[in-house]
Amino acid sequence: MPRVMLRAALAFVFAILAVSAAATANAQPPPTNCQYQNPTSPQTLFPGVSYQAVTVVCSAQQPQHTTLAHVLSIDVGSGSITLDSSAAASSATFGLTLPSQFLTATKAALAVNANLFAANCCYYSAAQQGWPTQLCGWQVSGGVTQSPQGAKPTGCQADYPFNASLVQMKDGEVRILYSNTPQAIEFPVVTAVTGSHMLVFGGKSLGPFSGSSTDFFGPNARTLAGLSKDRKTLWLVALDKASTGLTLDEAAAVMLHQGAAAAINLDGGGSSTMVQASTGGFAFLNVPPDPASDCLAGYPDNQDPATCERLVGASLGIHVAGQGSWPK
């Protein structure tokens, strides 16, 4: 599709979606009361990528919810950033792996966990590595669809939409799209990962509010992705469970605070992982929420045994020009 036609088609899609998203946003409870305390100074990790940690305290519910937010700000408008995602072993069946293993295998600069998955069961052990699973929602790796739009295999929550996707197109442009269209999106998408819910759209919160204290809707560790209105800045955020973690509507408030015009909720809880390449192989930026005492044996030699990084279905990688190698 010619670039002009592509942009016109995208504009049409977003014009329609904005109406639906705004109506949904108006049905949400009042804005969440969150404060942002003791931020660290932004630290440049790689060209075009900075990291900052900030304590978030949300007091709309009692007791108040707190977390340490680990924020990556990524200049996706620079032309030097490529997004990468896991590929299925065969027939859309993924093998459980660690985000840190995905990072080192693909020589990415950074990686986070991505889609929710059907076999969401596994602390790390060498015996469980490679166990088969399927992803919830759309996923594309290297331009090849690995999991179709709207995918909800057995084991995925049937009442979650799985229709909000972070994508990078062939020309390098990054977008957040609703992906449960009646017909498959035909834009030249190279990479796509999908979250459970759209948290922010059109600069308004869509974060689902629930009085439930379950791990998913209650306060918990989370991995989030958000995009600025001009689509030049991508934020990846990992929320620690230390203290309490945040609910989905509170997570939406965090992304709005960053400046996101659109944001999605990726897999979270014990799966929430943010890792960077380092001299020693890799280093965690967040604190995986599972205590080491709960982990099964079999850590990789360079993994910190004080953490408990879970096996996940898929990961999202960030490649920076001149840092390691880009995916082919």
Side-chain angles (χ1 to χ4, degrees):
M1 180 183 292
R3 188 180 181 92
V4 173
M5 293 178 63
L6 171 61
R7 292 187 181 278
L10 285 171
F12 177 73
V13 169
F14 272 78
I16 294 174
L17 292 176
V19 176
S20 173
T24 306
N26 290 336
Q28 300 304 302
T32 306
N33 181 18
C34 296
Q35 297 181 350
Y36 305 87
Q37 304 173 350
N38 305 317
T40 62
S41 298
Q43 174 187 358
T44 299
L45 299 182
F46 303 97
V49 180
S50 66
Y51 165 82
Q52 185 178 34
V54 57
T55 299
V56 182
V57 180
C58 297
S59 57
Q61 303 179 49
Q62 294 300 324
Q64 67 185 17
H65 300 157
T66 64
T67 186
L68 184 63
H70 304 271
V71 182
L72 291 173
S73 298
I74 303 166
D75 182 6
V76 293
S78 65
S80 63
I81 302 294
T82 300
L83 307 187
D84 187 17
S85 57
S86 303
S90 62
S91 303
T93 298
F94 286 73
L96 295 177
T97 190
L98 301 173
S100 61
Q101 293 172 326
F102 169 80
L103 177 137
T104 54
T106 61
K107 298 183 179 179
L110 300 135
V112 296
N113 59 297
N115 297 49
L116 281 76
F117 52 101
N120 193 356
C121 62
C122 304
Y123 297 114
Y124 179 67
S125 78
Q128 293 170 325
Q129 183 178 337
W131 275 12
T133 189
Q134 292 176 296
L135 302 188
C136 309
W138 190 34
Q139 204 259 16
V140 178
S141 177
V144 178
T145 295
Q146 307 285 325
S147 177
Q149 294 175 49
K152 293 184 183 181
T154 301
C156 295
Q157 294 83 349
D159 56 341
Y160 295 178
F162 299 117
N163 64 354
S165 302
L166 172 69
V167 309
Q168 186 169 42
M169 300 184 190
K170 190 173 182 179
D171 64 0
E173 188 171 47
V174 175
R175 296 232 180 201
I176 287 179
L177 302 172
Y178 278 109
S179 63
N180 63 341
T181 53
Q183 294 181 340
I185 292 175
E186 296 180 357
F187 309 134
V189 172
V190 176
T191 300
V193 296
T194 296
S196 66
H197 296 79
M198 188 80 80
L199 295 180
V200 175
F201 193 85
K204 295 183 179 181
S205 173
L206 300 183
F209 175 80
S210 171
S212 172
S213 60
T214 62
D215 285 347
F216 189 84
F217 287 100
N220 209 336
R222 302 190 181 279
T223 301
L224 318 170
L227 197 62
S228 61
K229 184 177 181 179
D230 63 7
R231 300 185 297 277
K232 293 183 178 180
T233 303
L234 170 67
W235 292 280
L236 296 177
V237 178
L239 305 177
D240 283 350
K241 193 173 183 178
S243 295
T244 61
L246 299 184
T247 62
L248 286 176
D249 57 315
E250 291 166 344
V254 169
M255 301 312 289
L256 285 169
H257 176 76
Q258 291 301 319
I264 65 175
N265 178 69
L266 296 169
D267 194 12
S271 297
S272 189
T273 305
M274 180 179 284
V275 63
Q276 72 167 99
S278 70
T279 304
F282 62 85
F284 293 107
L285 292 171
N286 72 321
V287 179
D290 293 323
S293 59
D294 288 349
C295 298
L296 302 176
Y299 290 99
D301 291 340
N302 60 346
Q303 183 175 330
D304 182 354
T307 66
C308 188
E309 182 188 12
R310 281 194 194 178
L311 293 159
V312 301
S315 297
L316 171 69
I318 306 297
H319 295 257
V320 182
Q323 306 291 322
S325 61
W326 287 25
K328 304 298 184 185

